[in-house]
Amino acid sequence: MAFHADSHAQVDEMTEKMRQWGARVLCEDIHPFAGGPDYYAVFLEGPDRLKFEIAAPDETAGHV
């Protein structure tokens, strides 16, 4: 499942909330750039093994 966030800050906030709810951050070693250097997102796996992505727009390009 994939969701769009409004900002990098919202991705960070949702990352912490999802951790509190028992989700595991995938690719923790390269988070939040697991999708590439220009892609700010978190990839998560919930306790039920369902996978989630929450991605933010590129704030450097003025697309906020």
Side-chain angles (χ1 to χ4, degrees):
M1 234 184 252
F3 299 93
H4 290 277
D6 291 329
S7 64
H8 291 193
Q10 189 176 33
V11 169
D12 297 339
E13 178 184 333
M14 291 306 301
T15 299
E16 290 311 309
K17 283 184 181 180
M18 294 298 288
R19 281 182 173 142
Q20 291 171 5
W21 294 335
R24 179 174 66 95
V25 175
L26 302 173
C27 307
E28 181 87 50
D29 59 329
I30 55 175
H31 166 73
F33 298 105
D38 298 324
Y39 194 74
Y40 197 93
V42 61
F43 297 90
L44 303 149
E45 181 178 76
D48 57 0
R49 304 210 48 200
L50 187 63
K51 304 227 178 9
F52 295 89
E53 172 188 353
I54 304 171
D58 181 2
E59 293 180 352
T60 62
H63 298 123
V64 240

